[in-house]
Amino acid sequence: MKLVTLRIDALPPMRVPLRFYLTAPVFGMLAGSLLLVESDTALASRWMPAALALTHLLTLGVLAMVMVGSLFQVLPVLGGGSIPGTGRTAAVVHPLLTIGSGSLGYGLLTHSAGSLTLGAATLGVGLGGFAILVGTRVLRRQAGGDALFAIRLAALGMASTAALGLVLALGMAWPSLGIPFRLWTDAHALLGFGALTLLLVMGVSFQVVPMFHVAPPFGTRTTRVLSLGVFAGALGLAFGGELLDPRWPGAALGLASTAYALALLTRLHRRRRRRAEPLVRAWQLAATLLLVTIAVGTAHLSGVGDPRLQILLAALFGYGFALTVVLAMLGKIAAFLAFTHLQRQCLRAPEAIPLLPTMDDIVGSRAAWTQLGVHTLALVALCAAVLWPASAPLAGATMIADFAVCGRNMLGAALRYRRAERAIHETIAATGQRP
Amino acid sequence: MESLATFLSADHRDCDAALTRFEDAIRAGDPGAIQQTFDAFHRAMVRHFAREEDALFPTFEAATGNAHGPTAVMRMEHDQMRMVLAQLEAELARGETSRSLAHADTLMVLVQQHNMKEEQILYPMCDQVCGDAAELLARIRGIGED
């Protein structure tokens, strides 16, 4: 019977997400260094080469890197089944995403046609292929709840963002192609932020917030209306062109996002698990930042002509809303994966159980609080630098610190895992079993 | 009629609430309440495991002819949770409340990722393949009822 062959033990090997998690902070520190070095121009206008490079180092090198790595772990748990050829797929997607993020960042900074083409090609194959694989092999399954509805839409968002990005990068490398840059860049950014990032975070929160924090569920109708509202709004803003007054899709996106942020805050407020942990504070901060982003976006759409608003929007949404949640979730997922892999090895050898660390030993709550604190500082510094450009070097330095903390936490988790695994293997070997 | 998925998902929520009350008691620092809430949580978990392992899983395995598929994975995850429960109990007996809280946190994450798989995948499959669901549900309800 087909149903019964569905694999629900699809825990990816530790090395699969870890390679993405260890790479992301490197790109984050590169982004911070770029802001430090190019502090005069990186936040001056969204069209400056340094601003484009900074944005893509953060969105591709950090956000996409962590999101893709996490999907290997999250999709099987959410009911979508495992990603085909987990280890092999990761071994192909990870280097493509790494090379692509680096080359595109360099190409955007220097206008090097070779780097732009290499970046476009590797990202097109890596991200586009991954989106198609996830969309066709995993998400078409009937199983799965409210989270997968939003994640299916996000996969569409990922494929269209990647396709538009590919065209834009090639258009920049080969100007004779005559790509309408301004129009298509707006569409690319709107899809990447709205139809991909926001929907992916929403989808994960629909499942994770009620369960891990023992909070009231969002409800199927609410999750679907909100997801469709965000998707339709982002799509309308991106492609409405002259057919559609942008205020209508803008209102749909704004209303659905506002309703989502309020629903998230309400559920967190009504959670039964009152433990004040960093992840709860991260969700609350993210929801609040989403509301601030919507307010700034409304001012922008209403005709407030300050060009800094667009950069502030990207900072609030990308570095604020999305990255706050992503960095907080990262610690939890890495700790859980390390713990559960180690614990399964102990199931056959009870004498190894005392060697088993808790999740808190792998990525401790003190480390998670430090991450949230430094990240908040880096966000404040970034927003301040948009408004007062003289403070951009400080923003670059705090961004480097933010990702240094993240890198330290991930490296610490990897080393703790290796040490515990070695000790458990030695204990198992001493009992005469094969590890 | 109430489905297996609805009843067993509600049983998960009862276990979650019991674990939350235990964590609250640890933070409040009242030894009597800590032991009382731990015992209640332990009872709820043991009852839920029994409902699945003694009634739901055998029926599913008989209906599908597969004892090595999803139910084998769920049994293994139950063993993982039993292991953390035992560690938690041992730390509690030693009076190590901060270690107990760390184990409770680990257990919560382990429980929730397990619950997601059951609620999203296994329970809907059980509702489809387990024949006389009313009789099975009555048996499941009967387990652990005082």
Side-chain angles (χ1 to χ4, degrees):
Chain A
M1 175 178 280
K2 196 178 173 191
L3 271 177
V4 189
T5 60
L6 190 66
R7 278 180 58 84
I8 56 176
D9 181 32
L11 189 69
M14 188 64 192
R15 67 176 185 281
V16 167
L18 202 58
R19 59 193 303 164
F20 292 91
Y21 296 169
L22 287 170
T23 311
V26 176
F27 277 103
M29 285 189 277
L30 270 177
S33 308
L34 179 65
L35 181 53
L36 199 60
V37 174
E38 297 282 338
S39 56
D40 290 345
T41 60
L43 300 174
S45 149
R46 58 184 283 223
W47 302 104
M48 296 300 278
L52 289 169
L54 179 67
T55 309
H56 288 81
L57 286 175
L58 288 172
T59 50
L60 290 167
V62 179
L63 278 178
M65 191 70 73
V66 174
M67 284 174 174
V68 168
S70 299
L71 283 175
F72 283 96
Q73 147 67 11
V74 168
L75 277 179
V77 177
L78 293 182
S82 61
I83 290 171
T86 302
R88 286 190 307 280
T89 305
V92 173
V93 173
H94 173 256
L96 287 174
L97 188 52
T98 305
I99 295 168
S101 306
S103 331
L104 190 75
Y106 183 74
L108 288 168
L109 187 65
T110 59
H111 267 251
S112 149
S115 294
L116 285 166
T117 310
L118 178 65
T122 45
L123 289 168
V125 175
L127 272 187
F130 183 75
I132 291 168
L133 194 67
V134 169
T136 57
R137 298 287 297 277
V138 179
L139 296 177
R140 66 179 179 178
R141 289 181 197 278
Q142 290 302 303
D146 302 333
L148 280 194
F149 183 80
I151 294 176
R152 282 187 182 98
L153 293 176
L156 275 177
M158 182 190 277
S160 35
T161 306
L164 270 176
L166 181 77
V167 174
L168 283 166
L170 291 176
M172 192 179 269
W174 312 101
S176 56
L177 292 173
I179 302 289
F181 265 105
R182 187 166 289 266
L183 199 63
W184 289 25
T185 304
D186 282 346
H188 172 69
L190 279 162
L191 289 176
F193 280 152
L196 168 56
T197 310
L198 179 52
L199 276 171
L200 205 53
V201 174
M202 283 170 74
V204 170
S205 72
F206 291 153
Q207 193 71 48
V208 162
V209 168
M211 296 195 87
F212 285 90
H213 308 297
V214 194
F218 285 83
T220 300
R221 185 181 296 175
T222 305
T223 57
R224 296 199 171 195
V225 168
L226 293 181
S227 305
L228 282 172
V230 165
F231 189 70
L235 218 60
L237 271 180
F239 296 121
E242 299 193 349
L243 295 173
L244 203 58
D245 182 339
R247 280 176 298 186
W248 291 108
L253 181 60
L255 283 174
S257 312
T258 305
Y260 164 68
L262 293 176
L264 179 57
L265 284 171
T266 311
R267 268 141 195 89
L268 289 165
H269 181 67
R270 288 168 57 199
R271 75 191 191 281
R272 290 174 72 171
R273 197 175 186 220
R274 302 310 298 177
R275 195 172 180 152
E277 56 174 323
L279 188 54
V280 172
R281 295 292 175 251
W283 279 115
Q284 288 170 326
L285 177 62
T288 310
L289 287 165
L290 184 57
L291 291 173
V292 178
T293 306
I294 296 159
V296 175
T298 307
H300 174 60
L301 273 181
S302 311
V304 176
D306 193 330
R308 290 177 301 180
L309 280 187
Q310 288 185 334
I311 301 175
L312 192 60
L313 267 176
L316 284 168
F317 181 83
Y319 209 90
F321 168 74
L323 209 50
T324 300
V325 171
V326 163
L327 288 178
M329 288 286 291
L330 191 54
K332 276 279 181 200
I333 295 180
F336 166 71
L337 272 175
F339 170 79
T340 199
H341 275 293
L342 293 170
Q343 200 206 26
R344 285 185 180 190
Q345 295 170 37
C346 292
L347 282 177
R348 291 184 296 125
E351 39 294 281
I353 293 175
L355 300 169
L356 195 61
T358 62
M359 281 177 56
D360 196 60
D361 296 327
I362 299 167
V363 180
S365 65
R366 184 183 290 180
W369 280 118
T370 305
Q371 175 77 84
L372 184 61
V374 176
H375 178 67
T376 308
L377 271 179
L379 172 68
V380 171
L382 184 64
C383 292
V386 175
L387 302 172
W388 297 283
S391 66
L394 180 65
T398 47
M399 191 181 283
I400 294 171
D402 193 8
F403 288 103
V405 171
C406 174
R408 187 201 62 182
N409 290 349
M410 290 303 104
L411 202 59
L415 293 175
R416 188 84 173 85
Y417 173 78
R418 277 188 61 181
R419 271 203 305 275
E421 187 181 45
R422 198 172 300 143
I424 289 168
H425 282 183
E426 281 167 9
T427 307
I428 294 175
T431 66
Q433 298 181 62
R434 296 179 77 180
Chain B
M1 189 192 76
E2 189 175 28
S3 68
L4 293 165
T6 308
F7 177 77
L8 289 165
S9 300
D11 209 28
H12 280 164
R13 300 291 87 77
D14 290 345
C15 293
D16 297 344
L19 177 52
T20 302
R21 282 193 288 273
F22 168 60
E23 287 184 321
D24 289 344
I26 291 185
R27 274 195 304 280
D30 173 357
I34 291 173
Q35 196 55 51
Q36 195 181 13
T37 50
F38 177 75
D39 291 343
F41 168 59
H42 195 280
R43 271 197 308 278
M45 289 292 278
V46 169
R47 184 179 65 182
H48 183 76
F49 291 158
R51 283 174 162 169
E52 294 187 341
E53 292 177 3
D54 298 345
L56 182 75
F57 294 172
T59 311
F60 178 84
E61 287 159 0
T64 59
N66 185 354
H68 304 287
T71 49
V73 179
M74 294 299 104
R75 284 179 204 275
M76 182 191 64
E77 292 190 353
H78 285 177
D79 286 343
Q80 286 185 273
M81 288 181 256
R82 285 190 183 97
M83 190 195 280
V84 183
L85 257 178
Q87 288 178 292
L88 176 49
E89 196 168 17
E91 295 289 0
L92 214 50
R94 277 197 286 271
E96 292 281 352
T97 47
S98 91
R99 292 294 293 168
S100 303
L101 212 50
H103 284 301
D105 193 40
T106 300
L107 188 57
M108 178 60 100
V109 177
L110 210 53
V111 164
Q112 294 308 337
Q113 66 86 36
H114 172 79
N115 289 354
M116 282 187 214
K117 292 180 191 173
E118 288 192 335
E119 292 174 24
Q120 305 294 342
I121 307 167
L122 187 67
Y123 294 163
M125 284 161 69
C126 289
D127 273 316
Q128 281 180 36
V129 302
C130 281
D132 187 355
E135 183 273 331
L136 175 59
L137 197 53
R139 262 195 300 136
I140 288 173
R141 272 186 213 277
I143 291 175
E145 289 289 319
D146 298 322

